[in-house]
Amino acid sequence: MKGRLAFSKAGHDKGRLYLIIRQEGERVWLADGRTRGVLSPKKKNRKHIQPAGQEFSEEEVASFFENPAWADNRIRETIDRFYQEKKA
């Protein structure tokens, strides 16, 4: 599941798109590159997200922690591209 885009289904962030950067049991850690970066991800229960598509391999996600600023930029670009493709 790591490396997939996912929509939040519950909470004040309902409908927002995130990238799953970590998974442990029923918990996932989400980053959007804006309000929630790689170093301060949002923790959410798995049942409160809806996967939207695979974007990054697990190896790519692991490399995000080596350069968090670059990773946040890539995540933002990926999420923006996802929304643009949905509009077209």
Side-chain angles (χ1 to χ4, degrees):
M1 192 165 229
K2 192 163 49 163
R4 294 188 76 173
L5 291 176
F7 285 102
S8 172
K9 296 190 321 185
H12 72 277
D13 61 343
K14 183 177 180 178
R16 270 191 95 166
L17 188 62
Y18 292 98
L19 178 73
I20 301 169
I21 60 170
R22 182 175 161 206
Q23 178 182 348
E24 192 173 292
E26 288 300 309
R27 292 279 185 195
V28 292
W29 282 258
L30 309 168
D32 67 0
R34 288 182 172 82
T35 58
R36 292 296 185 162
V38 171
L39 296 180
S40 60
K42 178 168 189 61
K43 186 167 62 168
K44 209 158 184 71
N45 193 312
R46 259 180 85 180
K47 67 181 177 182
H48 294 154
I49 62 167
Q50 175 65 47
Q54 186 72 30
E55 293 296 329
F56 298 100
S57 69
E58 289 194 25
E59 294 79 24
E60 286 178 298
V61 173
S63 73
F64 285 175
F65 295 95
E66 295 170 13
N67 189 346
W70 169 82
D72 288 340
N73 190 37
R74 284 236 13 232
I75 293 168
R76 276 194 310 272
E77 289 172 354
T78 301
I79 290 172
D80 291 345
R81 188 175 343 105
F82 181 87
Y83 282 127
Q84 288 173 355
E85 290 172 0
K86 291 296 178 188
K87 284 184 181 178

